[in-house]
Amino acid sequence: MKKYLFVFTCAVIFASCHESLEDKAAREAKEFTRKNCPVQVSEFIVNDSMTYEKNKKTIHYFYTISGKADTVAAINNQQAKEELVKGVKEATSIRVYKEHGFNFAYTYYSSKNKGKKLIEVIVTPEDYNSVK
């Protein structure tokens, strides 16, 4: 009887410790933001936060652009999308999310015009699984 009780207890503990991939994405996004943000990623770009949008299956990165890059005219939407798709394709740290068809969104806001969205790019599985 003790043996069965031990097996049942282990099974309950294991099941309660199991985390879905969506829950893991949400937890990791929150931890990344808490531990790392804001973080300067280039001369003109700061990563402000990262979130997970469960209803859209999307890992979403939020940035602020400053300096001479802080204008809509300075941003080439097509080039930005191509660069972000390339980055997602090459990123090994998000491999498990790519294997499960997650989307990756990138929103860039103006530093000088608070709240003004300069660009938003969503990279879908169709983008990062395509052969180019």
Side-chain angles (χ1 to χ4, degrees):
M1 183 65 177
K2 285 183 181 180
K3 181 171 125 180
Y4 294 114
L5 184 59
F6 175 75
V7 171
F8 176 75
T9 303
C10 288
V12 169
I13 290 171
F14 178 76
S16 66
C17 293
H18 187 68
E19 178 179 45
S20 73
L21 189 56
E22 286 80 10
D23 291 341
K24 178 181 177 187
R27 179 182 51 77
E28 287 182 347
K30 190 178 287 187
E31 286 177 5
F32 175 84
T33 298
R34 183 178 49 80
K35 291 178 181 178
N36 301 300
C37 294
V39 62
Q40 192 84 32
V41 294
S42 73
E43 184 180 355
F44 304 111
I45 300 174
V46 172
N47 182 331
D48 298 312
S49 66
M50 178 177 144
T51 63
Y52 176 65
E53 300 166 2
K54 191 172 187 172
N55 60 334
K56 296 178 183 178
K57 202 172 179 181
T58 301
I59 296 174
H60 201 144
Y61 301 89
F62 295 91
Y63 298 92
T64 298
I65 297 178
S66 61
K68 61 185 175 185
D70 189 358
T71 66
V72 174
I75 299 172
N76 179 321
N77 289 344
Q78 184 60 34
Q79 183 181 2
K81 172 113 184 193
E82 289 171 6
E83 289 296 319
L84 290 167
V85 168
K86 181 181 175 192
V88 169
K89 282 183 176 184
E90 294 175 354
T92 57
S93 62
I94 57 173
R95 180 182 53 83
V96 70
Y97 298 117
K98 293 187 295 186
E99 289 173 351
H100 286 87
F102 279 53
N103 299 303
F104 301 89
Y106 302 86
T107 303
Y108 294 82
Y109 288 97
S110 169
S111 169
K112 66 183 174 193
N113 298 311
K114 297 286 183 213
K116 180 176 183 180
K117 189 185 299 183
L118 298 174
I119 185 173
E120 183 166 68
V121 173
I122 300 172
V123 180
T124 67
E126 292 77 24
D127 296 322
Y128 59 78
N129 289 323
S130 70
V131 180
K132 277 190 177 181

